[in-house]
Amino acid sequence: MFEGFEETFIDTGEAGILVRHGGDGPPVLLLHGHPRTSATWHRVAPLLVAQGFSVVCPDLRGYGRSRGPAPTADHSAHSKRAVAGDMVRVMRALGHERFRLAGHDRGVGVALRLVLDHPEAVEQVAFLDGIPLTEHLSRTDARFATAWWHWFFFAQAEIPERVINADPDSWYKGDPQVMGEENHAEFRAATRNPDVVRAMLEDYRAGLTLDAEHEAADRAAGWRIECPVLVLWSTRDDLEELHGDPVKIWRGWADDVRGHGIDSGHHMAEQAPGPLAGSLAEFFQR
């Protein structure tokens, strides 16, 4: 994977972040979701490099081979604000003061926090398979809670760790033929690590508490995304089915929004890398 890329560990002060980076040209930061690592981008990143971009793929704080502080009672150590701060420091350490940004799944929450907290750093942002946390929560009904029950299970104290760590291979399923052998091996090593599992759960605990509070405060203050926004979603997943047109939802947060569906299941970087990379490249070359 990632032929021609470098691997670097960057100390952000609170965390040690593994970063894969390569290419020349305008910088693009790609943020993975749960329960993946930066390796999920192994098919997309080279395609973006071929389109003339510098591509940066980190493991988020606590995921994969990145490490962060111990969990805190208020979950602030794994809040989207803390993780977004890591990403700004990572990009600065690599010499990128301004960059293009894409986040998938849980990476959407980090990307949103990054553009709101650090608008000067982001030129364009793409949100993949996600809407703001508060938009999900405001639409929570029995149908959503049944389909996305894991959000509320992961937010419980201690119980999910005991359940998942008892048999992580059964809990976190992945097909090496679909994911790629090396990507799958990295994913499997991460999900078998109890410290990684704990950090991933803290991500969800922060999501339903501090992260939602931060989003609600920004909305009340009238904050909006200042840069152009691309929204992409998997047509074989349930985001649009549950919540309606994601572009319409994101237009409540930004003025310049465009988007479309990708013929894929949820992990579009692995299942539809060509269409995804093509859509990102076209948008980022604007």
Side-chain angles (χ1 to χ4, degrees):
M1 296 187 297
F2 293 95
E3 184 176 354
F5 279 63
E6 296 181 46
E7 281 193 7
T8 305
F9 278 91
I10 295 176
D11 183 352
T12 68
E14 289 186 350
I17 305 298
L18 171 79
V19 184
R20 293 172 155 114
H21 54 103
D24 295 303
V28 174
L29 174 63
L30 302 178
L31 305 180
H32 65 82
H34 171 272
R36 297 303 203 253
T37 73
S38 56
T40 195
W41 303 108
H42 72 105
R43 293 171 177 147
V44 170
L47 296 176
L48 291 176
V49 168
Q51 289 288 330
F53 295 100
S54 297
V55 180
V56 180
C57 304
D59 286 356
L60 299 179
R61 174 186 293 206
Y63 282 78
R65 287 179 280 164
S66 290
R67 293 294 173 263
T72 52
D74 65 354
H75 314 301
S76 59
H78 293 83
S79 70
K80 307 303 174 292
R81 176 158 283 158
V83 180
D86 287 339
M87 296 300 101
V88 170
R89 295 180 188 98
V90 161
M91 293 303 276
R92 288 175 180 165
L94 295 173
H96 306 309
E97 292 293 328
R98 284 178 60 78
F99 49 88
R100 292 145 179 85
L101 172 64
H104 176 256
D105 185 76
R106 302 303 289 182
V108 167
V110 178
L112 174 59
R113 180 47 44 202
L114 206 161
V115 296
L116 291 174
D117 284 0
H118 307 276
E120 75 290 344
V122 182
E123 295 189 17
Q124 297 163 294
V125 62
F127 298 114
L128 317 179
D129 263 344
I131 58 176
L133 291 165
T134 50
E135 297 286 356
H136 282 293
L137 295 175
S138 69
R139 291 167 170 78
T140 298
D141 55 15
R143 189 163 169 249
F144 174 76
T146 300
W148 290 38
W149 62 274
H150 65 282
W151 273 29
F152 309 100
F153 175 65
F154 288 169
Q156 304 305 308
E158 304 302 331
I159 297 172
E161 281 93 338
R162 295 202 301 272
V163 173
I164 294 170
N165 290 327
D167 191 354
D169 290 6
S170 292
W171 186 271
Y172 288 119
K173 300 182 187 304
D175 184 341
Q177 292 189 338
V178 175
M179 297 176 65
E181 295 282 352
E182 292 175 275
N183 176 29
H184 180 266
E186 186 166 310
F187 148 83
R188 183 58 69 212
T191 55
R192 288 174 175 171
N193 184 330
D195 291 335
V196 172
V197 170
R198 179 68 183 274
M200 292 193 295
L201 295 171
E202 284 295 309
D203 175 358
Y204 283 83
R205 290 163 181 152
L208 295 185
T209 54
L210 273 184
D211 297 334
E213 292 169 13
H214 293 158
E215 279 188 16
D218 287 345
R219 292 291 276 172
W223 287 25
R224 290 177 67 77
I225 299 170
E226 299 175 0
C227 65
V229 173
L230 175 67
V231 181
L232 302 174
W233 61 94
S234 304
T235 59
R236 286 183 268 135
D237 201 14
D238 60 359
L239 181 66
E240 185 176 19
E241 178 185 351
L242 287 169
H243 296 320
D245 183 0
V247 171
K248 183 178 180 180
I249 294 171
W250 279 107
R251 283 184 176 147
W253 291 74
D255 296 326
D256 184 351
V257 183
R258 67 202 63 206
H260 58 84
I262 296 281
D263 182 16
S264 174
H266 179 59
H267 294 287
M268 59 173 72
E270 298 164 2
Q271 298 172 27
L276 174 56
S279 295
L280 291 176
E282 180 181 6
F283 175 64
F284 289 147
Q285 286 167 348
R286 288 177 57 212

